[in-house]
Amino acid sequence: MRVSEGMSSLVLMIGPGHTLRQAARLMAARKVGAAVVHDADSQGYGILTERDILRSIAAEQDPDVEIAGDHLTRDVVFADPGWSLDEAAASMLRGGFRHLIVTSGGGVAGILSMRDVVRCWSHQHITV
């Protein structure tokens, strides 16, 4: 099975100026654990995860003041839609993260979470 079959093509995109509270509300409303942060003025795409927000709050930072651009991961691993789910999972395990931004043609095509990988693998075993 390929990344393109397991990824979500509906991606929450936010700007680096969103506060962590705004990001958390958007993530909760869409029931996702990560948002792709697009900063056209700098390094392109980054990712903000629920884990990043949790770390900030645990450090007693104010989620109404802290912004996504200061808490996101900029050194992102991008996945190709043609990768196998095994390749994607191995990449996540090596990097110690749970989300991959899937790109195609220079743009964001989707996002793949470890939960998506497990769901696909489970479905494959049930239907086999």
Side-chain angles (χ1 to χ4, degrees):
M1 188 171 249
R2 300 279 162 219
V3 165
S4 61
E5 299 170 80
M7 72 180 194
S8 172
S9 58
L10 296 174
V11 178
L12 174 58
M13 301 275 289
I14 64 172
H18 278 78
T19 67
L20 294 186
R21 184 174 311 277
Q22 289 170 326
R25 283 184 175 149
L26 290 168
M27 290 164 63
R30 288 172 175 79
K31 297 180 177 136
V32 297
V36 174
V37 182
H38 183 242
D39 187 354
D41 295 331
S42 80
Q43 300 179 14
Y45 298 108
I47 191 165
L48 180 74
T49 68
E50 56 200 357
R51 193 182 294 180
D52 298 321
I53 296 169
L54 181 66
R55 282 188 191 117
S56 175
I57 292 171
E60 299 184 14
Q61 295 174 332
D62 185 346
D64 291 314
V65 174
E66 297 297 314
I67 58 171
D70 292 338
H71 294 276
L72 60 87
T73 299
R74 291 189 189 278
D75 187 21
V76 177
V77 175
F78 296 98
D80 185 273
W83 282 10
S84 70
L85 289 181
D86 290 337
E87 288 175 281
S91 180
M92 287 187 224
L93 289 172
R94 268 193 312 276
F97 47 82
R98 298 176 294 173
H99 298 87
L100 285 171
I101 299 173
V102 183
T103 59
S104 180
V108 174
I111 194 160
L112 181 76
S113 71
M114 187 58 85
R115 184 184 333 195
D116 295 327
V117 173
V118 171
R119 178 183 44 79
C120 290
W121 282 343
S122 296
H123 182 61
Q124 273 185 318
H125 293 320
I126 291 170
T127 59
V128 172

